[in-house]
Amino acid sequence: MSTHPLFIDNLAFAKKNERLEGVLSALDCPRLLELLQADLADGALKAGQDAVAIHYILQGSTDSVGQHYLRLIISAKLVTACQRCLSEMPVTLRLTYNYLIGESVADDDEVSDIESDDVDLQEASQTMDIVKLIEDEVIMAMPIAPTHDEDCGAGVMQSGEKPNPFAVLKGLIKPE
Ligand SMILES: [Zn+2]
């Protein structure tokens, strides 16, 4: 698979209020792919489905006091494996991140203020790797031990009918 490197000058991007919108394939994110149900991702790709697509919007902005921000919005439907029944499990992610771009290495006091306000700091860079950023955020957002909401513990039972535990006992009690 081809990769799509995507680099921006993040400070210039924010100053110009630029906007970038696109779709990444999870297949371009090898570290993320390891977390997914790889077979299913392959299948989805071959079928031309949208199952491994990561939609993103990156919006630059500058606030009234001249601080430069990036907002990243990610929307993805991925398929991973349920850790209980090991079958396919869709994961829908809708994520929003705000980053303050530091022109220089900010002093520690400033950084701690920022972090308390749901804004992450990004160092100013002329070659900020957007694909890596998106991949990192999606990986961080993926559930560590995903399981189906419904009780899928008896996942091998296809009929949905649970075995009656007393049925075994009945067989043991022989009528005289
Ligand atoms: Zn399950």
Side-chain angles (χ1 to χ4, degrees):
M1 276 305 293
S2 63
T3 53
H4 305 284
L6 193 56
F7 299 97
I8 62 163
D9 179 338
N10 56 13
L11 205 53
F13 189 91
K15 282 178 180 169
K16 287 187 262 179
N17 293 329
E18 283 193 66
R19 181 187 171 95
L20 190 66
E21 192 169 345
V23 182
L24 269 186
S25 168
L27 298 162
D28 290 330
C29 304
R31 287 174 296 134
L32 172 62
L33 204 54
E34 283 179 21
L35 298 178
L36 303 178
Q37 184 77 300
D39 292 348
L40 294 164
D42 282 349
L45 181 77
K46 280 169 195 154
Q49 288 175 18
D50 207 23
V52 291
I54 302 166
H55 298 258
Y56 65 88
I57 299 170
L58 188 70
Q59 175 71 56
S61 66
T62 302
D63 71 7
S64 54
V65 296
Q67 288 188 305
H68 304 293
Y69 291 91
L70 292 178
R71 167 171 284 201
L72 176 64
I73 300 169
I74 297 172
S75 152
K77 280 185 184 171
L78 302 170
V79 179
T80 187
C82 169
Q83 296 302 297
R84 192 158 45 201
C85 67
L86 300 179
S87 66
E88 157 182 358
M89 181 184 158
V91 175
T92 302
L93 299 174
R94 291 189 193 290
L95 311 166
T96 302
Y97 299 96
N98 293 296
Y99 308 102
L100 173 64
I101 303 168
E103 298 229 25
S104 58
V105 179
D107 60 72
D108 290 342
D109 292 345
E110 197 181 333
V111 173
S112 55
D113 282 352
I114 293 156
E115 282 176 352
S116 66
D117 200 23
D118 262 356
V119 177
D120 295 321
L121 189 76
Q122 284 282 339
E123 238 175 272
S125 167
Q126 295 186 327
T127 54
M128 185 184 186
D129 186 339
I130 299 305
V131 173
K132 181 176 181 296
L133 176 71
I134 292 168
E135 181 177 15
D136 285 346
E137 298 294 19
V138 171
I139 287 172
M140 295 286 282
M142 286 293 285
I144 292 166
T147 51
H148 288 113
D149 285 339
E150 69 272 23
D151 180 16
C152 60
V156 288
M157 302 294 293
Q158 292 299 322
S159 64
E161 197 174 307
K162 293 194 171 168
N164 181 351
F166 297 108
V168 180
L169 289 177
K170 262 184 198 163
L172 292 175
I173 301 166
K174 289 176 184 159
E176 290 296 322

